[in-house]
Amino acid sequence: MFAIVPRLHSLPRLTSFLKITNLTKVSTAFMMEGAAPTQDETVITEGKAKVIYPSANQVFYNPVQEFNRDLTCAVLTEFSRMQLAEKGIDLVVPGEREQQKVVVDLSDNGEDCGISDPVDTPAAAERRTVTVGEACPEGLRVLEGLAASGLRSIRFALEVPGLKSIVANDFSTSAVDLIKRNIQFNGVEHLVTASYSDARMLMYNRMGKHDRFNVIDLDPYGSPAMFLDAAVQSVSEGGLLCVTCTDMAVMAGNSGETCYGKYGSMSLKSRFCHEMALRILLHSLNLRANCYQRYIVPLLSISADFYIRVFVRVFTGQAKVKMSASKQAMVYNCVGCGTYHLQRMGKAVAHGNNMKYSAGTGPPVGTSCEFCQQKHQVGGPIWAEPLHDIAFVQKILAAFDRCPKRFNTSDRIEGMLSMVTEELNIPLYYTMDNLSSTVRCNTPSLLQFRSALLHAGYKVSLSHACQNAIKTDAPPSIIWDIMRCWEKLNPVKREKLSETSPAYHILGAEPSIQANFEIRQDANPNSRKLGLKRFQENPEAYWGPKARAKAGGGIATSLEERRKQHQNKRKNATEDASFKQFACKKYKQGSCDMGDSCRYSHSLAACEMEAEDTPQSDNTTAT
C-alpha cells in the first residue's frame, strides 16, 4: 500500500491559504542559488525558518500547529542542554540572558556572602560552548520521521543548539524534493539531510546500539500507532521520543474498539476523555517498549487544540519493566453520574532490597454505582503514573524567563506549562458542568468548589486539558457530599425528579460533612491570578484537522465538500429535517426494505405521488 500511495498525509495539517498571516516576500539576498521559489510558490516564515510551499492546491500549511513546533523546539533545547552539560558543553541560545551564578559560603561565621563572581576553576575553564547552527560532534542525532516540507527539521537546525545531525524523512518523492529545496534555501545542508524511506524501515535499520537516534519526532496525519514499535527500538538509551496523535475521535471514546486495536486500550466517552487519551498513548508506548526490556519516563504530556503531544524518555532495564503492571490501571466509569474508579493492574511491594510482584485485586466497585445505581463502563488499561517531570518543565519555564519572546507562541507555552506545574499527580478529573447537571442544580463557581475541597482537608488543582476541570484526591463520596450541600443552598424541585434518575438517588442521601464554600486565597492558582494565557481560543474558522491529502497532492473535491457538510449544521438546519440529505443506494438498486416509502434525498411530495401511483397488493404488510 505504501508503495502505491505516497505519504503525503504526513504533511502539516491542512488550512485555508487565504488566512495565513505570516506570508512573506522573499528577499533576493536570502535566496540560495537553485532553490529560489517560482511565481507559483509561496514562502512562509515561521520562527527562524523560511519554507517554500507550492500552490495551495498541492501542499497545505496549518498555522495552528505553530504552537506544537514552538513547544518542541523549547523541549528539545532543554533536553540538549541537559545531555551536553554532562559532557562539559554549554548551549548559547540567541537572546537568552546568562544565568547568574550564586556562590554560597557555608563557613562557621554564618554570614550570608550573597552573590559573588564565579570562580575560574580548572573544570570551568575546560567547558566550551556551542551555538545555533553549529554542528556539534557530541550533539544529538535527530530524526523527523514524517517531515513533509521539512519545516520542523529546518527550525531545529536554526533554533536549537547542540545538534549533530538531523534526518528529515518522508515516503513521498515530491515531499523529499521539496525538503531538499528548503534545506538549500535555508542554508542548513551541514545539519539537515533529506531521506526518502518508509519511516518504519528507516528506524528498524538504526536499531544498533551506536546507530540509534537521540531524538525521534513523529507527527503523522492521524494515528502514530504503526510507527511506535520501531520508534521505541531505534531511540537511544535515555533518548527522547516525541509523538503527536490527531485521531482524537478514536481516543476520546467515539470508537473504543478502534482505539483498542491501535493502542491496546479501550477508550471511554467521558468528561475526562482528553486526559485519558494522553494516558492511553503513554500506556501504548510503555507496552511496546516492554517487549524489548525497555520502559518510558514521561517528561511532558499535553492536550491542546485538536491533538495530544507527549515527550518521553526511553530506558532499558529488566527490573523497571517488571514495575510496569503496577503503573497501569483499568477505569470503571459510571454511565449515570460520571463517578470513576481506578483499579491497578498489578502490585509491587518492597521487601527489604527485593520487590514482590503480584496481580491487582478488585474490582473497586459493585455491580451498580453506589451513588446513582447505574451501571459502569470499563475502560483502559491506561497509564496511571505522572504525566510530567515537573523539574524538567520548570527548566523550560526558567528558559522562557531568560528569553521571554523567543517564540511567537511564548505566552501560550508559558501559560500551559505553568498549569502543568500546578496539576496534582492524580489520574483523571471531574468537570463542574457535569457535577451540577447530574444533580440538576445551578453550577457553583470554580473558586467556591475548590475552596470547599480545601476546607474539607483535600488537595485540588485545575487541569490543562479542560478549562473547568477539578483534579482532587478527595474520594467520590466527598465530591457528592459537597454537591448535596450546595443543592441545599440552591434547592431543586425534587418532585420533578424521576425515581430512576441519578439526581434522585444522589440527593436522597444526607451529606456526611458540612461543606464550607467561603472563598480561600489558595483556591485561586497562580497561573489564574497572573492572567496567563492558559487556554487558546479558536484562531480561525475550520482551524482543526482537515481532510487527508490525496496521493498527487492537494485534497480531493469530494473530501473537501464532505468535510464542510456538517459545519454549523445546528445553525443552518434544513427546513425539513425529517428527510436525510443523501441518496439511498438500496433505493436506486430496488432492494431497499422501505420500498417506495424510502425518502432518502426525496421530497415528501414526490414520495406521496409515487405511493399513489404504485398499486398496493392485498397481502402487503405495514412496516
Side-chain angles (χ1 to χ4, degrees), residues 388-408:
H388 324 284
D389 183 338
I390 300 301
F392 181 80
V393 176
Q394 289 174 341
K395 290 180 181 179
I396 301 177
L397 287 173
F400 275 97
D401 289 338
R402 299 192 297 270
C403 187
K405 300 300 180 182
R406 182 182 176 189
F407 305 109
N408 290 334

Side-chain angles (χ1 to χ4, degrees), residues 240-316:
L240 180 65
L241 185 56
C242 318
V243 182
T244 301
C245 292
T246 59
D247 56 335
M248 290 302 295
V250 170
M251 304 196 72
N254 284 352
S255 302
E257 68 284 353
T258 304
C259 183
Y260 183 83
K262 291 182 177 181
Y263 303 99
S265 179
M266 179 65 71
S267 59
L268 297 177
K269 198 169 186 178
S270 56
R271 297 291 181 171
F272 49 72
C273 60
H274 290 95
E275 182 178 324
M276 187 172 183
L278 285 171
R279 296 184 178 276
I280 287 174
L281 178 57
L282 292 176
H283 160 75
S284 183
L285 282 168
N286 192 70
L287 183 62
R288 294 167 194 255
N290 289 166
C291 298
Y292 310 102
Q293 298 300 309
R294 311 194 82 183
Y295 62 96
I296 67 167
V297 176
L299 293 182
L300 176 64
S301 309
I302 63 163
S303 172
D305 298 329
F306 53 84
Y307 60 89
I308 57 175
R309 177 77 164 167
V310 299
F311 303 87
V312 302
R313 298 185 70 184
V314 181
F315 296 91
T316 304

Side-chain angles (χ1 to χ4, degrees), residues 429-507:
Y429 52 78
Y430 296 93
T431 59
M432 293 304 307
D433 57 339
N434 185 60
L435 293 174
S436 57
S437 64
T438 299
V439 297
R440 308 293 179 85
C441 69
N442 60 351
T443 307
S445 71
L446 203 61
L447 292 182
Q448 286 176 317
F449 197 86
R450 285 170 57 90
S451 298
L453 286 169
L454 292 172
H455 282 303
Y458 296 98
K459 298 178 181 179
V460 62
S461 76
L462 301 179
S463 171
H464 78 277
C466 182
Q467 192 166 0
N468 60 344
I470 293 291
K471 293 177 73 72
T472 179
D473 60 347
S477 58
I478 298 297
I479 298 291
W480 292 119
D481 278 346
I482 293 176
M483 290 306 300
R484 292 184 184 105
C485 294
W486 176 258
E487 188 273 336
K488 290 182 180 296
L489 300 176
N490 304 269
V492 300
K493 296 181 179 180
R494 301 198 181 190
E495 63 275 7
K496 293 187 175 182
L497 297 178
S498 169
E499 294 183 0
T500 59
S501 66
Y504 180 85
H505 292 284
I506 292 174
L507 298 179

Side-chain angles (χ1 to χ4, degrees), residues 15-30:
T15 192
S16 173
F17 252 52
L18 299 177
K19 297 186 178 182
I20 295 176
T21 58
N22 58 343
L23 299 181
T24 61
K25 295 182 179 179
V26 185
S27 62
T28 56
F30 185 80

Side-chain angles (χ1 to χ4, degrees), residues 57-346:
N57 293 327
Q58 297 179 18
V59 180
F60 299 83
Y61 166 78
N62 193 347
V64 177
Q65 284 283 50
E66 183 177 4
F67 169 76
N68 186 331
R69 292 183 282 268
D70 286 350
L71 179 62
T72 304
C73 288
V75 171
L76 189 54
T77 299
E78 292 310 307
F79 181 73
S80 177
R81 196 194 306 271
M82 180 175 61
Q83 294 292 93
L84 296 184
E86 302 173 357
K87 303 177 181 179
I89 302 175
D90 296 324
L91 304 188
V92 177
V93 179
E96 186 175 273
R97 299 191 305 270
E98 292 186 4
Q99 289 180 288
Q100 195 174 26
K101 295 182 173 61
V102 180
V103 178
V104 180
D105 187 359
L106 299 179
S107 57
D108 295 336
N109 55 20
E111 295 180 0
D112 184 7
C113 296
I115 301 174
S116 62
D117 294 331
V119 180
D120 190 11
T121 61
E126 294 174 359
R127 300 186 69 86
R128 61 187 182 89
T129 60
V130 293
T131 58
V132 171
E134 174 187 351
C136 178
E138 302 90 348
L140 305 179
R141 296 189 298 270
V142 182
L143 167 66
E144 185 186 2
L146 312 167
S149 64
L151 171 60
R152 191 182 299 251
S153 295
I154 293 171
R155 288 197 59 184
F156 290 164
L158 296 175
E159 301 179 36
V160 180
L163 304 183
K164 180 180 180 180
S165 63
I166 305 170
V167 177
N169 175 77
D170 205 283
F171 202 28
S172 164
T173 54
S174 57
V176 173
D177 291 339
L178 185 61
I179 293 172
K180 292 178 179 178
R181 290 187 61 197
N182 284 323
I183 291 173
Q184 186 180 3
F185 188 62
N186 287 270
V188 291
E189 300 94 327
H190 61 293
L191 274 175
V192 186
T193 304
S195 168
Y196 171 74
S197 177
D198 184 337
R200 295 169 297 178
M201 297 308 300
L202 177 60
M203 289 186 284
Y204 281 133
N205 290 331
R206 297 289 293 270
M207 289 169 49
K209 186 175 181 180
H210 301 290
D211 296 331
R212 292 173 176 171
F213 295 101
N214 303 110
V215 179
I216 296 179
D217 191 302
L218 299 174
D219 189 2
Y221 182 96
S223 173
M226 66 180 71
F227 306 104
L228 300 184
D229 182 78
V232 297
Q233 295 183 73
S234 57
V235 67
S236 64
E237 182 68 13
L240 180 65
L241 185 56
C242 318
V243 182
T244 301
C245 292
T246 59
D247 56 335
M248 290 302 295
V250 170
M251 304 196 72
N254 284 352
S255 302
E257 68 284 353
T258 304
C259 183
Y260 183 83
K262 291 182 177 181
Y263 303 99
S265 179
M266 179 65 71
S267 59
L268 297 177
K269 198 169 186 178
S270 56
R271 297 291 181 171
F272 49 72
C273 60
H274 290 95
E275 182 178 324
M276 187 172 183
L278 285 171
R279 296 184 178 276
I280 287 174
L281 178 57
L282 292 176
H283 160 75
S284 183
L285 282 168
N286 192 70
L287 183 62
R288 294 167 194 255
N290 289 166
C291 298
Y292 310 102
Q293 298 300 309
R294 311 194 82 183
Y295 62 96
I296 67 167
V297 176
L299 293 182
L300 176 64
S301 309
I302 63 163
S303 172
D305 298 329
F306 53 84
Y307 60 89
I308 57 175
R309 177 77 164 167
V310 299
F311 303 87
V312 302
R313 298 185 70 184
V314 181
F315 296 91
T316 304
Q318 185 178 9
K320 290 295 183 67
V321 170
K322 291 182 178 180
M323 297 284 294
S324 293
S326 61
K327 297 179 181 179
Q328 320 302 317
M330 302 297 292
V331 181
Y332 292 84
N333 183 51
C334 175
V335 298
C337 62
T339 303
Y340 62 87
H341 300 267
L342 268 66
Q343 172 61 56
R344 296 276 179 160
M345 299 287 290

